Amino acid sequence: MDEGIPEGWTRWSDEPDRTVFVYRPDVFDSQAFPAACIPTIYLSDGPHRNRRPERRRTGFRSREWYVTLYLEPEVVLAEERYDERSEALEGSATLARRFAAGELDYRSAYQVPREAYLDRLDELTGRDA
């Protein structure tokens, strides 16, 4: 397990300009829920507002690091900015812990909620709806 990253989160990929963590890939495995519904934290060297993470430009370097928690490719729950990658890694761990503990209000991120999906997140995080 990655230091500081709580149980349930998995480091999915690690590149010099981006690290990706996913939540409970054993549950959000595309059988019960679409694969795009897996909660994902992207740590990246630059902002990605209004742009899907997978469409990232290669070779781009920023002096800022962003930590973004997606519930789906178009549903952002949280985004934070850091000056150093090490700070962004710590921020990723904190955000992952808060999510796993049910401290984040993910239901408010949806205009049209996916009730079965959100109910399952409630179960996994121990959050009361």
Side-chain angles (χ1 to χ4, degrees):
M1 180 177 0
D2 289 296
E3 186 166 330
I5 299 296
E7 189 172 330
W9 285 92
T10 301
R11 186 181 297 242
W12 203 252
S13 69
D14 196 9
E15 301 169 26
D17 62 347
R18 179 175 64 180
T19 300
V20 179
F21 300 96
V22 294
Y23 183 67
R24 297 295 306 267
D26 59 317
V27 173
F28 300 100
D29 63 358
S30 79
Q31 299 300 316
F33 300 98
C37 286
I38 191 167
T40 305
I41 294 176
Y42 285 85
L43 180 158
S44 57
D45 72 337
H48 300 278
R49 289 180 185 89
N50 302 320
R51 189 168 46 156
R52 290 183 183 215
E54 61 270 12
R55 292 189 183 160
R56 202 164 162 11
R57 291 181 292 157
T58 58
F60 174 77
R61 288 283 188 247
S62 171
R63 292 195 173 153
E64 299 175 325
W65 290 89
Y66 285 80
V67 173
T68 308
L69 172 55
Y70 290 89
L71 297 177
E72 299 181 36
E74 301 296 330
V75 181
V76 175
L77 182 58
E79 183 172 62
E80 301 167 349
R81 189 193 66 75
Y82 297 90
D83 293 327
E84 302 290 332
R85 188 176 201 282
S86 60
E87 295 171 349
L89 278 168
E90 289 176 28
S92 296
T94 299
L95 190 58
R97 281 192 300 274
R98 290 184 63 217
F99 181 87
E103 295 176 10
L104 301 177
D105 181 14
Y106 39 78
R107 287 180 176 270
S108 67
Y110 283 87
Q111 291 178 357
V112 179
R114 294 175 180 252
E115 290 302 326
Y117 168 64
L118 295 172
D119 290 346
R120 185 64 174 134
L121 285 178
D122 289 343
E123 291 172 21
L124 292 169
T125 63
R127 185 175 196 278
D128 294 326

